[in-house]
Amino acid sequence: MSVPGAPTAKEKKYDRQLRLWGAGGQEALETAHILLINATAAGSETLKNLVLPGIGRFTIIDHAVVTDEDLGTNFFLDDSSIGLSRAQKTCELLCELNPEVQGHFINDTIENILRSNPEKLKDFTTVVATGDIPTATLLSLDAILYPLGIPLFVVKCVGFTMSCRLALSEHPIVETHPASTVDLRLFNPFPELSTLVDEKAASMDDKEKMTTHEHDHLPYVLILLQALNEWKSTHGNQPPSSYPQKNEFKSLLRSKMWNADEENFEEAIAAVLPHFNPPSIPSETRAIFQDEKCANLTKESTKFWIIARAIKEFSEKNGGLLPLPGALPDMKAESKDYIRLQNIYKTKARADLAVVFGIVRGLLTGLGRDGGEVEESEVETFCKHAGYVKLIRGRSLNEEYEKSPRAQVISNDLSDSTSLIHYYLGLRAYEAFISDENNTQRIAPGAEDSTVDADTEKLNKHVTELLDKLSITHSPELLEGTEKAIGEIVRAGGGELHNIASLTGGVAAQEIIKIITRQYIPMDNTVLFDGISSRTFVYKL
Amino acid sequence: MATTTVLTTESPDRWKYLNNILTRRGPYSDETFEPGDEPKRFLADLKILVIGAGGLGCEILKNLALSGFRDIHVIDMDTIDISNLNRQFLFREADVGKSKAEVAAAFVMKRVRGVKITPFNCAIQDKDDEYYKQFKIVVCGLDSVEARRWINATLVNLVGEETLIPLIDGGTEGFKGQARVILPTISCCYECTLDMLTPRVAVPLCTLASIPRQPAHCIEWASVIQWPKEKGDLKIDMDDPEHVTWLYTKALARAKEFNIPGVTYAMTQGVIKNIIPAIASTNAIVAASCCNEALKIATTASPYLDNYMMYTGDESVYTFTFQHDKKEDCPVCGNLPQALTVDPESKLEQLMEKLQERPETTLKKPSLRTSSKSLYLQAPEQLEERTRPNLEKKLKELMEEGDELSISDPGMPFNLRFIISFSS
Ligand SMILES: [Zn+2]
């Protein structure tokens, strides 16, 4: 059976995900290389969710040997793994999931790698740090990766609590997957559209010139534009703007119906509120246009900034309009009329694209770069999403911890005892506990029943120290929630619960996929989950 | 008991971290929680049922095994398909065509020592009340609304003096999903929330037949109109590549005739099979949340979800956790009939068509009765024949305002009840 267009074996296997991120996203995944530091349950689950959709390669750095405790939380180990390298064993069992993925392991500590061969970190697309890693090590990793633009995930998973911190410098997203990119240009129709309105809809009130069938098959876009012409002629050439005016316009449309059941007119009436918007550039897009990187292109500027600049120039020359995305929703119409209308929008979109593409080439040659460096398809994707692009500027771990902590974000939520900020503070205290220079074995708080009380006290002290350092006023009442969070964290004794580890692995893998495919919008920058109340919250810290 | 023997042969360290939670009280633990050996033993002895061994089911089985559950049953009637392998991680290419329940159970038992998983390669409807009664918790990872309604209604019907089986239900679609806890008759049930499903919008037949505009219209034309015309009574098998190819070729030709761009093989499959995108990460999140609730309910170590968590992952990471209200007129767990306004001039046939548009009345073979007479019965044959003429009658000839209309369906273990009022 060889039908043109029939799916390949790979397309069949990945069918359910290709429907979300397409061939382009898949290709990005297949060329990525993920580093996992420590094969904890959460770390292994993260890799599982990346190996399954076909990430290119992964490497595990871990110095631990497999213990019985590991078998109680990590699915990618079995009885025969006990006493052997945890990096190697998890790597082997993860590789079984997908023969197309290459797994590597390094039986060493991340501290040793940072000392002996920090260059190695440049090999990776994304780094995921899990388990008990001291603050100093995390900050060293961040100091190397952040300037290189390599995303670092710091994942913590203790008992019912998890946090996932993403340190990502600059991340523009073009394919944000908005619900719709439709722009009908109702308030500023281009000439080809106006011509079609005149030809098809000018006599829509005239029963002599139009049959009932023609009338109830008029595409609603043409109905709206024709009615708008009429409205504007009696309203100083202005379209309806206020809510009462829009309602009045709907009544006008209703008065033009020849029968009570003309679906196309119903569609037109329903389209008034969603589509009657004066043309404007959305704030996210405007912020990108106003960005310093858009204003001052250099030889090093990325394609994103070059295309953004070209679109900015395009819109300046076109009365503030973005290039037309060209999409047309389905509507009641004769096939040929619909296709004709669709082609009018598409042709206009292509014409806009040609202009933008021309500007892009000009910008490139002006910078002394190769004019063919940017493909037309990349410009096309950008043009289609020009009103929906998004730029994430994250913050480094060093900024959060040392250079410019965001004390306000923490203090804002402190008085709410149900806020998840208390788990953030509890986990920071946990990190301080295992980073203590006297705790060389990195023994977790609550590791033994006998230490629970003393460790709880230590964690509470770490929190007050942190708050003092950040000049955040606190009181026992304000820290009620934090005290409870610490109670839960110490209860777990540094252990992962498999369910929470698995959920963490789902969240981390999802965010990694969004970043690698450059599709959809990643969180910025810390997500917390509390498994007791089943809630998440995202803070920008 | 066998299960306890297995437990004692394991190293005591294996469940150290789980035991920390079970032997220590947390700040949010319920007063009735008694930390120590009891919750451990309870967990090991408790029988739990998993429905579905697909994307969610694989995750659920792994999670329960690593949460200390020891006696697990799993039911799934499906066999493994190549397109499952991007997320159903207990299956390999060599398993394609085998029973999902059996392969999944065998894999988890091999990997996690001491857990017993009993697989059933059958439909949930094949099991009776006695079977379901033996479980303390049911976790459900299904993609079918019909099967969910069935198990939900079955568990509600089982509620008695000694039986109350919590149903934990998960569902995903692309980057979105939900996890919920249903305490039958106590908290809101699956049926109570059916109106949260988006009603399906059917393309009018005349669009398919004469004025197609979208690639999907051409594909539906091929399957709804052209297939029966050319193939007669032969049923379309969505998994038969020859059938899909036939539909694709027909749809492509029709699209060409009308100059409609965009018909692809993948889209053909998507439209006719109603394919929902599915990825490992969302399944992991939703299944983990469900099993976290199962662990909390089984051990009372921490409060459980009351009663709904919605998850969205396409734009940042977002959850909405809330208490969904129980519906007083829920046909399964409520006791009041719902209100239904009908046009007295319309025919019974039209009413049946209209019912298909609402998620709670989308049924395969509905039979309709009022308290005084049968309006239309799908079976047995002689009664179907006898009630068929009613389809052509106007509603005002068949019922009066205030009548109670009852709808039954072989796929549903309960009746839907409506009080009729006439629209003016
Ligand atoms: Zn209910």
Side-chain angles (χ1 to χ4, degrees), chain B residues 152 156 187-193 326-327 330-334:
Chain B
N152 174 66
V156 171
S187 61
C188 123
C189 81
Y190 185 71
E191 199 76 18
C192 289
T193 57
K326 200 163 173 282
K327 249 169 78 177
C330 170
V332 172
C333 74

Side-chain angles (χ1 to χ4, degrees), chain A residues 182 184 221 326-331 338-339 341-343 345, chain B residues 214:
Chain A
V182 170
L184 297 175
V221 171
L328 184 69
D330 190 31
M331 61 193 70
Y338 177 82
I339 301 296
L341 184 61
Q342 194 180 40
N343 281 332
Y345 278 98
Chain B
Q214 303 294 334

Side-chain angles (χ1 to χ4, degrees), chain A residues 20-21 510 514 520, chain B residues 173-177 279 282 311-314:
Chain A
L20 288 175
W21 52 69
Q510 168 190 285
K514 289 194 276 186
Y520 302 95
Chain B
E173 178 173 350
F175 285 103
K176 299 184 169 79
I279 44 175
T282 315
Y311 175 80
T312 318
D314 55 355

Side-chain angles (χ1 to χ4, degrees), chain A residues 3 7 17 19 45 48 68 75 79 330-331 335 338 446 449 491-492 502 510 514 521 531-532 534 536, chain B residues 11 14 20-21 24 59 62 86 111 113 212-214 245 265-266 292-293 296 301 311 313 316 319 321:
Chain A
V3 189
Q17 70 202 41
R19 289 170 196 273
E45 291 291 321
K48 176 202 80 190
D68 256 307
F75 191 73
D79 285 296
D330 190 31
M331 61 193 70
S335 305
Y338 177 82
D449 287 347
R491 179 192 190 190
S502 186
Q510 168 190 285
K514 289 194 276 186
I521 302 169
I532 293 172
S534 283
T536 59
Chain B
S11 151
R14 177 150 316 178
N20 280 346
I21 300 298
R24 296 171 179 177
E59 288 279 346
K62 165 192 67 121
N86 81 326
R111 181 64 57 85
R113 193 149 56 94
R213 300 171 298 267
Q214 303 294 334
T245 302
Y265 194 97
N292 181 42
E293 298 310 323
K296 290 188 292 179
Y311 175 80
S316 189
T319 53
T321 304

Side-chain angles (χ1 to χ4, degrees), chain B residues 15 46 52 70 87 115 120-121 123 127 133 176 229 269-270 275 304 324-325 341 356 363 391:
Chain B
W15 302 106
L46 178 147
R70 283 285 163 270
R87 61 199 186 283
V115 64
F120 292 95
N121 181 17
K127 298 283 181 193
K133 258 189 192 164
K176 299 184 169 79
K229 203 162 153 190
Q269 276 183 310
I275 290 178
Y304 54 83
H324 202 293
D325 287 335
T341 307
Q356 291 300 322
L363 299 169
L391 291 174

